[in-house]
mmCIF file of all heavy atoms in Angstrom:
data_model
loop_
_atom_site.group_PDB
_atom_site.id
_atom_site.type_symbol
_atom_site.label_atom_id
_atom_site.label_comp_id
_atom_site.label_asym_id
_atom_site.label_seq_id
_atom_site.Cartn_x
_atom_site.Cartn_y
_atom_site.Cartn_z
ATOM 1 N N VAL A 89 27.938 25.733 -20.006
ATOM 2 C CA VAL A 89 28.289 26.573 -18.858
ATOM 3 C C VAL A 89 29.782 26.845 -18.871
ATOM 4 O O VAL A 89 30.580 26.054 -19.351
ATOM 5 C CB VAL A 89 27.904 25.948 -17.486
ATOM 6 C CG1 VAL A 89 26.420 25.708 -17.383
ATOM 7 C CG2 VAL A 89 28.668 24.672 -17.228
ATOM 8 N N SER A 90 30.122 28.002 -18.327
ATOM 9 C CA SER A 90 31.525 28.399 -18.309
ATOM 10 C C SER A 90 32.260 27.635 -17.219
ATOM 11 O O SER A 90 31.651 27.014 -16.341
ATOM 12 C CB SER A 90 31.623 29.887 -18.031
ATOM 13 O OG SER A 90 31.142 30.141 -16.730
ATOM 14 N N ARG A 91 33.574 27.701 -17.284
ATOM 15 C CA ARG A 91 34.407 27.047 -16.301
ATOM 16 C C ARG A 91 34.118 27.574 -14.890
ATOM 17 O O ARG A 91 34.061 26.813 -13.927
ATOM 18 C CB ARG A 91 35.867 27.323 -16.680
ATOM 19 C CG ARG A 91 36.858 26.523 -15.908
ATOM 20 C CD ARG A 91 38.218 27.199 -16.036
ATOM 21 N NE ARG A 91 39.210 26.421 -15.325
ATOM 22 C CZ ARG A 91 40.046 25.597 -15.937
ATOM 23 N NH1 ARG A 91 40.028 25.467 -17.230
ATOM 24 N NH2 ARG A 91 40.909 24.909 -15.221
ATOM 25 N N SER A 92 33.895 28.891 -14.792
ATOM 26 C CA SER A 92 33.665 29.456 -13.456
ATOM 27 C C SER A 92 32.311 29.004 -12.909
ATOM 28 O O SER A 92 32.158 28.778 -11.709
ATOM 29 C CB SER A 92 33.780 30.980 -13.484
ATOM 30 O OG SER A 92 32.620 31.544 -14.022
ATOM 31 N N GLU A 93 31.321 28.817 -13.799
ATOM 32 C CA GLU A 93 30.025 28.295 -13.333
ATOM 33 C C GLU A 93 30.158 26.855 -12.856
ATOM 34 O O GLU A 93 29.520 26.448 -11.895
ATOM 35 C CB GLU A 93 28.983 28.373 -14.456
ATOM 36 C CG GLU A 93 28.410 29.754 -14.651
ATOM 37 C CD GLU A 93 27.434 29.808 -15.819
ATOM 38 O OE1 GLU A 93 27.859 29.578 -16.970
ATOM 39 O OE2 GLU A 93 26.258 30.081 -15.573
ATOM 40 N N ARG A 94 30.990 26.095 -13.559
ATOM 41 C CA ARG A 94 31.235 24.708 -13.137
ATOM 42 C C ARG A 94 31.891 24.678 -11.763
ATOM 43 O O ARG A 94 31.572 23.851 -10.927
ATOM 44 C CB ARG A 94 32.136 24.000 -14.151
ATOM 45 C CG ARG A 94 31.375 23.006 -15.017
ATOM 46 C CD ARG A 94 32.276 21.954 -15.623
ATOM 47 N NE ARG A 94 33.337 22.522 -16.437
ATOM 48 C CZ ARG A 94 33.190 22.861 -17.714
ATOM 49 N NH1 ARG A 94 32.038 22.682 -18.313
ATOM 50 N NH2 ARG A 94 34.185 23.371 -18.399
ATOM 51 N N GLU A 95 32.819 25.606 -11.560
ATOM 52 C CA GLU A 95 33.483 25.652 -10.255
ATOM 53 C C GLU A 95 32.527 26.084 -9.144
ATOM 54 O O GLU A 95 32.613 25.578 -8.027
ATOM 55 C CB GLU A 95 34.721 26.563 -10.319
ATOM 56 C CG GLU A 95 35.920 25.771 -10.811
ATOM 57 C CD GLU A 95 37.061 26.601 -11.353
ATOM 58 O OE1 GLU A 95 37.070 27.832 -11.118
ATOM 59 O OE2 GLU A 95 37.929 26.013 -12.015
ATOM 60 N N ASP A 96 31.608 26.996 -9.477
ATOM 61 C CA ASP A 96 30.576 27.394 -8.505
ATOM 62 C C ASP A 96 29.734 26.187 -8.104
ATOM 63 O O ASP A 96 29.408 25.993 -6.945
ATOM 64 C CB ASP A 96 29.623 28.445 -9.110
ATOM 65 C CG ASP A 96 30.256 29.835 -9.129
ATOM 66 O OD1 ASP A 96 31.320 30.010 -8.509
ATOM 67 O OD2 ASP A 96 29.679 30.719 -9.783
ATOM 68 N N TRP A 97 29.379 25.388 -9.130
ATOM 69 C CA TRP A 97 28.569 24.190 -8.869
ATOM 70 C C TRP A 97 29.304 23.274 -7.883
ATOM 71 O O TRP A 97 28.745 22.830 -6.893
ATOM 72 C CB TRP A 97 28.300 23.430 -10.178
ATOM 73 C CG TRP A 97 27.575 22.133 -9.946
ATOM 74 C CD1 TRP A 97 26.220 21.968 -9.887
ATOM 75 C CD2 TRP A 97 28.153 20.848 -9.684
ATOM 76 N NE1 TRP A 97 25.916 20.650 -9.613
ATOM 77 C CE2 TRP A 97 27.081 19.943 -9.484
ATOM 78 C CE3 TRP A 97 29.456 20.360 -9.599
ATOM 79 C CZ2 TRP A 97 27.274 18.588 -9.206
ATOM 80 C CZ3 TRP A 97 29.661 19.016 -9.322
ATOM 81 C CH2 TRP A 97 28.579 18.146 -9.130
ATOM 82 N N LYS A 98 30.579 23.014 -8.209
ATOM 83 C CA LYS A 98 31.372 22.084 -7.412
ATOM 84 C C LYS A 98 31.502 22.584 -5.967
ATOM 85 O O LYS A 98 31.330 21.825 -5.015
ATOM 86 C CB LYS A 98 32.758 21.961 -8.055
ATOM 87 C CG LYS A 98 33.576 20.802 -7.560
ATOM 88 C CD LYS A 98 34.718 20.503 -8.537
ATOM 89 C CE LYS A 98 35.481 19.261 -8.120
ATOM 90 N NZ LYS A 98 36.584 19.540 -7.222
ATOM 91 N N ARG A 99 31.763 23.866 -5.843
ATOM 92 C CA ARG A 99 31.943 24.425 -4.503
ATOM 93 C C ARG A 99 30.660 24.294 -3.684
ATOM 94 O O ARG A 99 30.683 23.906 -2.523
ATOM 95 C CB ARG A 99 32.362 25.902 -4.611
ATOM 96 C CG ARG A 99 33.241 26.364 -3.474
ATOM 97 C CD ARG A 99 33.836 27.741 -3.710
ATOM 98 N NE ARG A 99 34.628 27.813 -4.926
ATOM 99 C CZ ARG A 99 34.477 28.734 -5.890
ATOM 100 N NH1 ARG A 99 33.533 29.649 -5.788
ATOM 101 N NH2 ARG A 99 35.228 28.720 -6.963
ATOM 102 N N LEU A 100 29.538 24.616 -4.320
ATOM 103 C CA LEU A 100 28.251 24.572 -3.622
ATOM 104 C C LEU A 100 27.881 23.133 -3.227
ATOM 105 O O LEU A 100 27.518 22.861 -2.081
ATOM 106 C CB LEU A 100 27.161 25.182 -4.506
ATOM 107 C CG LEU A 100 25.728 25.198 -3.962
ATOM 108 C CD1 LEU A 100 25.644 25.980 -2.666
ATOM 109 C CD2 LEU A 100 24.760 25.779 -5.001
ATOM 110 N N VAL A 101 27.996 22.222 -4.177
ATOM 111 C CA VAL A 101 27.604 20.835 -3.923
ATOM 112 C C VAL A 101 28.535 20.186 -2.888
ATOM 113 O O VAL A 101 28.086 19.479 -1.985
ATOM 114 C CB VAL A 101 27.558 20.036 -5.247
ATOM 115 C CG1 VAL A 101 27.435 18.544 -4.995
ATOM 116 C CG2 VAL A 101 26.386 20.517 -6.097
ATOM 117 N N GLU A 102 29.822 20.456 -3.017
ATOM 118 C CA GLU A 102 30.759 19.873 -2.048
ATOM 119 C C GLU A 102 30.581 20.469 -0.651
ATOM 120 O O GLU A 102 30.733 19.765 0.341
ATOM 121 C CB GLU A 102 32.207 20.048 -2.519
ATOM 122 C CG GLU A 102 32.524 19.079 -3.650
ATOM 123 C CD GLU A 102 33.988 19.039 -4.048
ATOM 124 O OE1 GLU A 102 34.796 19.807 -3.479
ATOM 125 O OE2 GLU A 102 34.311 18.241 -4.936
ATOM 126 N N ARG A 103 30.263 21.756 -0.602
ATOM 127 C CA ARG A 103 30.027 22.379 0.703
ATOM 128 C C ARG A 103 28.864 21.665 1.400
ATOM 129 O O ARG A 103 28.873 21.434 2.602
ATOM 130 C CB ARG A 103 29.716 23.871 0.538
ATOM 131 C CG ARG A 103 29.449 24.617 1.842
ATOM 132 C CD ARG A 103 29.666 26.113 1.692
ATOM 133 N NE ARG A 103 28.661 26.762 0.855
ATOM 134 C CZ ARG A 103 27.538 27.304 1.324
ATOM 135 N NH1 ARG A 103 27.262 27.271 2.612
ATOM 136 N NH2 ARG A 103 26.695 27.885 0.498
ATOM 137 N N TYR A 104 27.854 21.307 0.609
ATOM 138 C CA TYR A 104 26.725 20.590 1.199
ATOM 139 C C TYR A 104 27.103 19.147 1.568
ATOM 140 O O TYR A 104 26.933 18.713 2.711
ATOM 141 C CB TYR A 104 25.512 20.602 0.248
ATOM 142 C CG TYR A 104 24.392 19.748 0.797
ATOM 143 C CD1 TYR A 104 23.553 20.240 1.792
ATOM 144 C CD2 TYR A 104 24.238 18.428 0.390
ATOM 145 C CE1 TYR A 104 22.577 19.428 2.352
ATOM 146 C CE2 TYR A 104 23.269 17.620 0.945
ATOM 147 C CZ TYR A 104 22.444 18.130 1.923
ATOM 148 O OH TYR A 104 21.498 17.319 2.485
ATOM 149 N N LEU A 105 27.639 18.397 0.607
ATOM 150 C CA LEU A 105 27.867 16.960 0.829
ATOM 151 C C LEU A 105 28.964 16.680 1.856
ATOM 152 O O LEU A 105 28.927 15.674 2.553
ATOM 153 C CB LEU A 105 28.237 16.277 -0.490
ATOM 154 C CG LEU A 105 27.133 16.120 -1.534
ATOM 155 C CD1 LEU A 105 27.718 15.534 -2.811
ATOM 156 C CD2 LEU A 105 25.993 15.243 -1.011
ATOM 157 N N ASP A 106 29.932 17.570 1.915
ATOM 158 C CA ASP A 106 31.112 17.323 2.740
ATOM 159 C C ASP A 106 30.854 17.386 4.236
ATOM 160 O O ASP A 106 31.485 16.676 4.998
ATOM 161 C CB ASP A 106 32.194 18.366 2.395
ATOM 162 C CG ASP A 106 33.447 17.675 1.885
ATOM 163 O OD1 ASP A 106 33.532 16.445 2.019
ATOM 164 O OD2 ASP A 106 34.321 18.386 1.372
ATOM 165 N N ALA A 107 29.936 18.227 4.643
ATOM 166 C CA ALA A 107 29.845 18.487 6.074
ATOM 167 C C ALA A 107 28.419 18.590 6.586
ATOM 168 O O ALA A 107 28.161 19.217 7.599
ATOM 169 C CB ALA A 107 30.594 19.789 6.387
ATOM 170 N N ARG A 108 27.490 17.981 5.871
ATOM 171 C CA ARG A 108 26.099 18.125 6.293
ATOM 172 C C ARG A 108 25.759 17.002 7.270
ATOM 173 O O ARG A 108 25.522 15.859 6.851
ATOM 174 C CB ARG A 108 25.196 18.105 5.056
ATOM 175 C CG ARG A 108 23.745 18.420 5.368
ATOM 176 C CD ARG A 108 23.533 19.845 5.805
ATOM 177 N NE ARG A 108 22.126 20.127 6.040
ATOM 178 C CZ ARG A 108 21.677 21.220 6.637
ATOM 179 N NH1 ARG A 108 22.520 22.144 7.049
ATOM 180 N NH2 ARG A 108 20.388 21.397 6.833
ATOM 181 N N GLU A 109 25.682 17.322 8.502
ATOM 182 C CA GLU A 109 25.539 16.308 9.552
ATOM 183 C C GLU A 109 24.313 15.397 9.370
ATOM 184 O O GLU A 109 24.426 14.173 9.503
ATOM 185 C CB GLU A 109 25.560 16.991 10.935
ATOM 186 C CG GLU A 109 25.633 16.043 12.118
ATOM 187 C CD GLU A 109 24.262 15.503 12.508
ATOM 188 O OE1 GLU A 109 23.262 16.250 12.364
ATOM 189 O OE2 GLU A 109 24.204 14.323 12.920
ATOM 190 N N PRO A 110 23.112 15.929 9.058
ATOM 191 C CA PRO A 110 21.940 15.032 8.976
ATOM 192 C C PRO A 110 21.820 14.244 7.674
ATOM 193 O O PRO A 110 20.832 13.536 7.484
ATOM 194 C CB PRO A 110 20.760 15.992 9.122
ATOM 195 C CG PRO A 110 21.256 17.290 8.629
ATOM 196 C CD PRO A 110 22.729 17.346 8.895
ATOM 197 N N LEU A 111 22.826 14.344 6.780
ATOM 198 C CA LEU A 111 22.739 13.638 5.498
ATOM 199 C C LEU A 111 22.827 12.128 5.714
ATOM 200 O O LEU A 111 23.805 11.616 6.241
ATOM 201 C CB LEU A 111 23.874 14.101 4.577
ATOM 202 C CG LEU A 111 23.860 13.530 3.161
ATOM 203 C CD1 LEU A 111 22.625 13.997 2.391
ATOM 204 C CD2 LEU A 111 25.124 13.939 2.412
ATOM 205 N N ARG A 112 21.791 11.393 5.297
ATOM 206 C CA ARG A 112 21.751 9.951 5.510
ATOM 207 C C ARG A 112 22.068 9.160 4.249
ATOM 208 O O ARG A 112 22.484 8.015 4.309
ATOM 209 C CB ARG A 112 20.364 9.526 6.011
ATOM 210 C CG ARG A 112 20.008 10.073 7.379
ATOM 211 C CD ARG A 112 20.853 9.424 8.481
ATOM 212 N NE ARG A 112 20.552 10.029 9.773
ATOM 213 C CZ ARG A 112 21.185 11.084 10.266
ATOM 214 N NH1 ARG A 112 22.178 11.637 9.587
ATOM 215 N NH2 ARG A 112 20.846 11.583 11.420
ATOM 216 N N ALA A 113 21.787 9.745 3.092
ATOM 217 C CA ALA A 113 22.025 9.023 1.843
ATOM 218 C C ALA A 113 22.016 10.015 0.691
ATOM 219 O O ALA A 113 21.414 11.089 0.797
ATOM 220 C CB ALA A 113 20.936 7.971 1.617
#
Side-chain angles (χ1 to χ4, degrees):
V89 300
S90 65
R91 190 198 182 101
S92 78
E93 281 177 296
R94 254 202 302 276
E95 274 161 14
D96 282 350
W97 175 88
K98 194 162 185 271
R99 210 170 302 128
L100 179 60
V101 168
E102 285 188 358
R103 180 159 69 92
Y104 174 80
L105 289 175
D106 240 348
R108 187 68 178 168
E109 189 277 326
L111 184 64
R112 295 290 176 270

